[in-house]
Amino acid sequence: MATGFPRDPNEDTEWNEILRDFGILPPKEEPKDEIEEMVLRLQKEAMVKPYEKMTLAQLKEAEDEFDDEDMKAIEIYREKRLQEWKALKKKQKFGELREISGNQYVSEVTNAEKDVWVIIHLYRSSIPVCLLVNQHLSLLARKFPETKFVKAIVNSCIQHYHDNCLPTIFVYKNGQIEGKFIGIIECGGINLKLEELEWKLAETGAIQTDLEENPKKDIVDVMVSSIRNASIYDDTNSSNSDNDDTK
């Protein structure tokens, strides 16, 4: 039997409005905002699970608080965190300037692990620049823990090594010397700055610096300019001298 009621109570008709006014029909349902729904859905998907903020130890303690579905996700997450931790430990396994002796040179430097960069400083403690280089290398070792930094008293490695050749820095990789700086001038001078040494070592490939340009660039440019100007001056004087001779 027909009741006379509309089939769609949300239909926009005058009759429906009258029925709503008398409370016979419920209030009309407002259409959902699709954009708002999408935002809410994305926010829900972006929510971080509690276990994603936990350490491995905290995960172990909180295992009873999660259901089976969470536990499966936790196992995957735990394995991922474990692998990340192992990779980080492998990458950051040095982090200090270590002292070695001459009889450790082959094992620590020449035969170091595959693809590991090794920077060794041969020094003599009576030479001030050597001590300065050691200070800088200690800081760089902490900044670049994936690179091995070692130092050795030169006499324990090479007998009768001349002081003029100190400081000496060798850069090794896979048993091959990839870079070397012998003597005060090549190492950067008596006023060597940390950033200057960092740039030198980065040029060999041993470290990945965040410096954007050579800290000594301005000094080098001035030196090159001075040499160029001196050369032009000499050429001019030589030309004038030749002209005077022909008169």
Side-chain angles (χ1 to χ4, degrees), residues 95-99 119 121 133-135 137-138 141-142 149-151:
E96 63 177 348
L97 176 63
R98 291 195 303 110
E99 182 90 34
I119 296 170
H121 175 212
V133 170
N134 278 340
Q135 291 177 9
L137 291 178
S138 292
R142 288 198 289 271
F149 287 79
V150 294
K151 61 181 178 176

Side-chain angles (χ1 to χ4, degrees), residues 86-215:
K86 287 180 178 179
L88 184 63
K89 292 295 288 183
K90 183 178 180 181
K91 183 179 180 181
Q92 299 185 345
K93 59 185 174 181
F94 302 115
E96 63 177 348
L97 176 63
R98 291 195 303 110
E99 182 90 34
I100 65 170
S101 60
N103 57 15
Q104 294 175 294
Y105 196 105
V106 173
S107 61
E108 292 284 347
V109 180
T110 311
N111 292 341
E113 294 179 39
K114 187 175 184 296
D115 294 332
V116 169
W117 286 93
V118 183
I119 296 170
I120 180 167
H121 175 212
L122 302 180
Y123 74 99
R124 189 167 282 130
S125 58
S126 59
I127 299 178
V129 182
C130 289
L131 300 180
L132 177 63
V133 170
N134 278 340
Q135 291 177 9
H136 290 340
L137 291 178
S138 292
L139 295 174
L140 292 176
R142 288 198 289 271
K143 184 176 181 180
F144 302 101
E146 67 277 7
T147 299
K148 179 190 278 191
F149 287 79
V150 294
K151 61 181 178 176
I153 296 175
V154 66
N155 287 348
S156 71
C157 302
I158 307 172
Q159 293 295 321
H160 311 299
Y161 198 68
H162 204 284
D163 283 1
N164 290 342
C165 297
L166 296 175
T168 291
I169 299 174
F170 291 128
V171 180
Y172 280 79
K173 185 179 182 183
N174 295 328
Q176 301 297 317
I177 295 179
E178 300 293 339
K180 57 184 177 180
F181 306 97
I182 300 175
I184 292 176
I185 300 301
E186 288 191 14
C187 284
I190 59 174
N191 297 315
L192 175 68
K193 293 180 172 57
L194 176 64
E195 294 79 9
E196 294 167 359
L197 182 55
E198 179 177 335
W199 184 267
K200 283 179 174 291
L201 296 176
E203 287 187 313
T204 69
I207 57 178
Q208 300 297 316
T209 182
D210 52 6
L211 297 174
E212 295 182 356
E213 62 177 16
N214 186 349

Side-chain angles (χ1 to χ4, degrees), residues 48-64:
V48 178
K49 291 281 188 181
Y51 55 78
E52 293 182 2
K53 296 180 180 180
M54 295 181 175
T55 64
L56 294 176
Q58 289 171 332
L59 284 174
K60 184 68 176 176
E61 293 176 1
E63 282 183 348
D64 295 338

Side-chain angles (χ1 to χ4, degrees), residues 230-241:
S231 177
I232 293 172
Y233 179 77
D234 289 343
D235 291 343
T236 302
N237 283 346
S238 177
S239 177
N240 291 337
S241 176

Side-chain angles (χ1 to χ4, degrees), residues 55-89:
T55 64
L56 294 176
Q58 289 171 332
L59 284 174
K60 184 68 176 176
E61 293 176 1
E63 282 183 348
D64 295 338
E65 300 176 14
F66 299 110
D67 57 27
D68 291 342
E69 184 177 346
D70 279 334
M71 287 304 299
K72 290 179 182 178
I74 287 172
E75 284 303 319
I76 296 174
Y77 179 69
R78 179 188 283 132
E79 182 62 25
K80 179 183 176 183
R81 287 290 302 275
L82 188 60
Q83 294 304 320
E84 289 174 351
W85 178 79
K86 287 180 178 179
L88 184 63
K89 292 295 288 183

